[in-house]
Amino acid sequence: MKILRLQGDILFTVCFMSVFLSCDVLQLDRSDKDRTGLSPRFFHLISPVNGATEVSVTPTFSWEPALDPEGDRIMYTLTVIPAHGGSTSVTTVQGTSYTMLNQLLPGTTYYWRVIAEDTKKNTRNSPFYSFTTVAGGGAGGTGGGTGGGTGGPSFQTVPNITITGVRKGTILHNPSVPNYLVYVYIDSALNVYSRTSTDGGNTWSAPLPIAGLSNARDLTAVMSGNGNAMALILDSATDDTCVEARVMAATLPYGQSFWDVPEERMGVTFGLRRLPSSVHLNGNEYLLGWGFDVDGFGGQNDTKAATIYWDGSSILSQDDVGISNLTDDPVYCQQVAFDILSNSPCYLYFNNQEGEVEGGDMYLVVGSYPPVDWSTAINVRVVNRGNYQRPSQGFLFGGNGGDFILIYALETGPKASPTGNTLYLRRASSLFAIENATDILLEPFLRIPQDAGSRYRTVYAVQDAAGHIHVVWQDSGNAIKWVRIDSNTYTIGTVYTVAPNNYLDSVSVGQNILYVSTVSDLSPSNTGTIVKVTF
């Protein structure tokens, strides 16, 4: 499906397409000057019920009316999406039911949702529901690509590393140091430890503390090709919002049995610290970053970001990221990235200063390298959303084929009680073209982050040594899923379940191995494990 954006006051027009054909969908420009009034009220989908089976290949969809607080006329957009690839069906409806004119594929799982829109262009999205059509009658659903290697990937729980009481952890490995693994984690008492393995995870060291830290809330960590590891830790926070946290950097030299004394990178001043992240640049060089609110929780127009440039042995610089538009809510997106096409460091952040009601957009800051420099950075909007729509958890990559890939989540509904979370992929030939690129659905039922003020994410995306992209996420049923995207052809591979009934903790990828760390739940007595995926 291809989406076109039109400027100005244009009537919302959409065409219906069967699941066997594709067509263009014209989407009105949702600029802030056109958004006035209140969005339609929440409504529920009625039929097919969520998870329904044996559904007709020409089903009738029905939903509750979405009442408008100001009495505006409501139009509905019905979207039906095959779960495992294929063409999407979209149509506009004036009433609250619609019967498919073209047959769906038999024995196939679909997702469906409805968007209500008033005459002032305010929208309200329903959640996605799933259903499976009745089997029989010929071909099944279309495939979504191929898996990693011949016979598909293998999954193995790493032995002897089950840990009780994991608040947040990061698994590290580097193909340049075979069989060497480091797991850095914050325990339920808010202390920081690491465990190492030199035989590929068969045996592990005893927990090794990072001295001088307490009340740690969140962390990110990296391992260079020389085996040195660095952890960036939000420490000494007063609560889970990371108010008045210190930002500490600690190094574990390869083969050493203790961490070097942590170095303070941002002291205890009033304000929040949020979402530490990291990305590989070139060779042994890495970029680590974090977002922060200058005036603390509830402060207005005060979000900033900073990065550390590390060469595998020492910190070369610490820099303020050039966020040009003052913004808030750093909890939704703060993520460093690296564009291999232009050799540029990037920073993704959430911006809610353009008039949306409990919504916002996603922006990208592009710096220069080497060395890392944000002084001449440019800001590019990559996702433009409306009221009660918050693009979050963004990851940017440059593909071997010359295009850019953006992975992002879209949280919808009120901030205090979100109603949905969806995972999308966008692909474009330039950074400036990402904003108008088509959204490709990866997961309609993405887990809504809990403890969003601190450590918990539901998506990670990384790029392996061959340039291919691995996306790992946690769905609403707490299944951890993984898909590999070919960076040459941009083919989206088969979606695999890595671990059922678990919470996502971290990922690390090398040549042909992906490590995924998980926790059983978010309680202080949970257990953490690591899954090794060979592809």
Side-chain angles (χ1 to χ4, degrees):
M1 180 179 70
K2 181 179 180 183
I3 294 177
L4 305 178
R5 184 180 298 278
L6 303 182
Q7 303 290 331
D9 296 326
I10 296 177
L11 292 177
F12 183 63
T13 307
V14 61
C15 70
F16 177 84
M17 59 184 172
S18 77
V19 296
F20 306 105
L21 301 173
S22 64
C23 72
D24 291 344
V25 178
L26 303 183
Q27 181 173 330
L28 54 84
D29 176 56
R30 301 184 185 277
S31 60
D32 298 324
K33 64 182 178 61
D34 291 332
R35 293 194 197 100
T36 59
L38 301 173
S39 295
R41 298 190 188 282
F42 291 105
F43 62 100
H44 296 93
L45 304 181
I46 298 176
S47 180
V49 298
N50 193 22
T53 58
E54 301 295 313
V55 175
S56 167
V57 292
T58 55
T60 296
F61 299 92
S62 62
W63 53 93
E64 294 178 344
L67 302 179
D68 190 83
E70 300 162 309
D72 294 338
R73 181 172 59 91
I74 302 291
M75 294 290 290
Y76 301 95
T77 301
L78 168 66
T79 303
V80 182
I81 305 172
H84 300 294
S87 298
T88 298
S89 165
V90 180
T91 189
T92 52
V93 181
Q94 293 187 10
T96 57
S97 66
Y98 181 81
T99 300
M100 294 291 290
L101 302 178
N102 299 79
Q103 288 190 359
L104 301 177
L105 296 174
T108 301
T109 298
Y110 289 86
Y111 299 115
W112 72 286
R113 78 167 177 184
V114 175
I115 300 174
E117 181 171 8
D118 65 18
T119 55
K120 298 184 181 70
K121 306 180 178 70
N122 299 305
T123 61
R124 178 74 68 188
N125 297 356
S126 78
F128 276 99
Y129 274 15
S130 69
F131 67 91
T132 303
T133 53
V134 63
T142 56
T146 60
T150 302
S154 64
F155 303 84
Q156 176 190 7
T157 299
V158 175
N160 305 318
I161 188 60
T162 300
I163 301 173
T164 301
V166 177
R167 176 185 172 83
K168 176 70 179 81
T170 300
I171 180 64
L172 304 174
H173 85 298
N174 192 304
S176 298
V177 192
N179 298 320
Y180 184 55
L181 302 173
V182 177
Y183 182 60
V184 189
Y185 63 97
I186 302 170
D187 71 2
S188 57
L190 306 183
N191 298 309
V192 187
Y193 295 89
S194 69
R195 297 183 66 179
T196 59
S197 173
T198 58
D199 57 6
N202 291 317
T203 59
W204 291 82
S205 69
L208 179 67
I210 302 181
L213 302 180
S214 62
N215 290 322
R217 304 287 174 164
D218 202 356
L219 63 81
T220 187
V222 295
M223 181 192 294
S224 68
N226 56 20
N228 295 339
M230 165 171 275
L232 187 70
I233 304 154
L234 304 187
D235 177 60
S236 297
T238 58
D239 57 29
D240 278 349
T241 63
C242 285
V243 171
E244 300 183 9
R246 297 184 302 170
V247 180
M248 306 294 291
T251 303
L252 176 65
Y254 179 62
Q256 185 169 285
S257 59
F258 58 89
W259 287 77
D260 289 345
V261 176
E263 178 182 352
E264 185 175 277
R265 305 307 303 187
M266 179 175 283
V268 179
T269 57
F270 186 73
L272 288 73
R273 316 286 182 252
R274 298 289 179 89
L275 293 178
S277 64
S278 54
V279 70
H280 179 234
L281 299 175
N282 282 313
N284 288 333
E285 296 186 343
Y286 288 80
L287 189 65
L288 302 92
W290 67 96
F292 59 96
D293 273 358
V294 177
D295 297 324
F297 188 77
Q300 298 295 311
N301 304 333
D302 63 342
T303 292
K304 297 291 185 181
T307 58
I308 287 174
Y309 175 27
W310 186 62
D311 69 355
S313 297
S314 59
I315 295 174
L316 301 181
S317 68
Q318 178 174 323
D319 306 282
D320 288 331
V321 178
I323 295 179
S324 63
N325 296 324
L326 292 175
T327 182
D328 289 314
D329 291 334
V331 66
Y332 292 109
C333 183
Q334 296 286 321
Q335 180 67 41
V336 291
F338 185 65
D339 169 20
I340 63 174
L341 301 178
S342 64
N343 213 43
S344 301
C346 301
Y347 199 94
L348 288 153
Y349 69 96
F350 175 78
N351 186 320
N352 67 340
Q353 297 301 302
E354 299 185 13
E356 302 92 347
V357 178
E358 297 198 7
D361 307 319
M362 184 178 291
Y363 274 78
L364 174 70
V365 185
V366 184
S368 61
Y369 168 84
V372 173
D373 183 9
W374 301 106
S375 62
T376 59
I378 61 172
N379 285 250
V380 181
R381 186 166 65 183
V382 291
V383 180
N384 180 18
R385 288 293 183 172
N387 297 337
Y388 301 100
Q389 297 179 326
R390 295 172 296 278
S392 60
Q393 303 189 78
F395 297 86
L396 179 77
F397 305 95
N400 295 341
D403 284 359
F404 294 92
I405 292 178
L406 174 71
I407 308 295
Y408 81 99
L410 183 65
E411 183 179 291
T412 56
K415 290 180 181 179
S417 56
T419 57
N421 204 19
T422 309
L423 183 61
Y424 290 111
L425 175 151
R426 288 187 178 186
R427 170 189 165 195
S429 59
S430 73
L431 294 175
F432 297 96
I434 295 175
E435 180 182 355
N436 295 316
T438 301
D439 277 329
I440 300 173
L441 180 69
L442 292 180
E443 172 59 59
F445 302 113
L446 185 67
R447 177 81 183 195
I448 297 172
Q450 296 175 334
D451 187 20
S454 181
R455 76 210 187 259
Y456 181 50
R457 305 188 192 206
T458 56
V459 181
Y460 284 96
V462 289
Q463 195 164 22
D464 65 26
H468 303 307
I469 298 162
H470 301 258
V471 187
V472 183
W473 68 91
Q474 179 182 340
D475 71 11
S476 60
N478 296 336
I480 297 176
K481 299 178 179 179
W482 160 65
V483 70
R484 176 181 177 270
I485 301 167
D486 190 296
S487 184
N488 300 305
T489 64
Y490 303 103
T491 300
I492 300 173
T494 301
V495 176
Y496 293 94
T497 297
V498 176
N501 301 316
N502 270 261
Y503 283 68
L504 182 59
D505 186 39
S506 73
V507 302
S508 178
V509 70
Q511 189 67 35
N512 295 300
I513 296 175
L514 173 75
Y515 287 97
V516 181
S517 65
T518 73
V519 293
S520 58
D521 53 63
L522 299 183
S523 72
S525 59
N526 66 8
T527 55
T529 57
I530 299 170
V531 179
K532 177 181 179 181
V533 183
T534 305
F535 55 90

